[in-house]
Each structure stands twice: as structure tokens, then as C-alpha cells.
Amino acid sequence: MELDKDYNLIVGLRIREVREVLNMTREQFSEKCDISSSFLSAVESGKKAVTSKTLYKICSSIGISADYLIRGKSKNFETDMVIEMIDSMDSKSKKHAVQILREYIEAVNDLKNPDDNHIIC
């Protein structure tokens, strides 16, 4: 069925996108997810489909939900991935991560729009 092949390719490309965002080789990613590198290659190219068990392995190994891989819920995967990673943390870690992100964003914004109040030496 042509629709199945298209769907397999779409899911495979999303898995590849996740791997690339994580800056991982196929070997590193497949080892982390406990799947073979050759199977990962076939999935990423749409030649093979992932089972629910394999999908679970991938998602639990890298700390994301299956929603993006299955439905492609957004065009900005990197943002979604950061949100997924933060959501998977315990409450104390989540609080620290959000604080770090806020401080980072404030620092970046300060660099873009320096206040006239800053003294430059």
C-alpha cells in the first residue's frame, strides 16, 4: 500500500531529525535505543516501519513522547523536544531547567538590546 510507504518514510524522517538534533550518529542513536544500526537506517529511509515496541524504546531512551514521531505535532521540533525533555524531569530539576532557560533568554535579549544604563568600560 502506497500510503503505508509514505507514512513509514515520514516517521523515519522524523526519527532521523530527532537523531540529528541530538547530534548523534546512527550507531550512537541505535545503541542508546537498543536497536540495530542497520534497522535504524532502514527506518529512516522509510524501507521499514517501527513497531510500537521499537517506538517505545526510542521514545523512552531519549526522553520524548511519541506524539511528534507519529503525528508531527509541530513544525519546530527542536522547541518541542526541549519542552518534552523538561516535562520528563522531576519537579525540582524542572524548576532549575526553567530558571536556567529564563536567565539565558534574558542574557541573549540583553545582548541584542543593551540598556543605556549599562556602563561599558
Side-chain angles (χ1 to χ4, degrees), residues 8-9 12 38-39 42-50:
N8 291 346
L9 180 59
S38 60
F39 177 73
V43 166
E44 288 183 352
S45 64
K47 294 176 184 169
K48 292 198 176 189
V50 293

Side-chain angles (χ1 to χ4, degrees), residues 73-116:
K73 70 178 182 179
S74 145
K75 293 180 183 177
N76 189 344
F77 171 71
E78 288 177 324
T79 301
D80 287 347
M81 187 163 178
V82 170
I83 291 168
E84 292 285 346
M85 291 165 68
I86 291 171
D87 281 345
S88 71
M89 296 175 161
D90 62 73
S91 61
K92 186 176 180 180
S93 297
K94 188 183 296 188
K95 183 178 176 181
H96 290 296
V98 169
Q99 181 181 356
I100 290 167
L101 285 171
R102 281 187 182 142
E103 290 174 11
Y104 175 76
I105 291 167
E106 287 175 17
V108 168
N109 287 336
D110 284 348
L111 290 173
K112 288 181 181 176
N113 307 309
D115 277 341
D116 293 335

Side-chain angles (χ1 to χ4, degrees), residues 15-26 28-29 77-78 81:
I15 291 171
R16 178 179 172 185
E17 181 182 24
V18 169
R19 178 179 62 77
E20 289 175 349
V21 166
L22 293 172
N23 293 317
M24 297 177 85
T25 64
R26 277 196 185 106
Q28 292 167 327
F29 191 85
F77 171 71
E78 288 177 324
M81 187 163 178

Side-chain angles (χ1 to χ4, degrees), residues 23-71:
N23 293 317
M24 297 177 85
T25 64
R26 277 196 185 106
E27 291 73 24
Q28 292 167 327
F29 191 85
S30 60
E31 185 176 322
K32 184 170 181 78
C33 298
D34 192 29
I35 57 177
S36 76
S37 182
S38 60
F39 177 73
L40 177 60
S41 178
V43 166
E44 288 183 352
S45 64
K47 294 176 184 169
K48 292 198 176 189
V50 293
T51 64
S52 56
K53 182 179 179 179
T54 302
L55 189 62
Y56 176 79
K57 282 181 175 184
I58 291 170
C59 292
S60 62
S61 296
I62 59 174
I64 65 167
S65 76
D67 192 43
Y68 173 76
L69 298 178
I70 295 171
R71 299 183 330 155

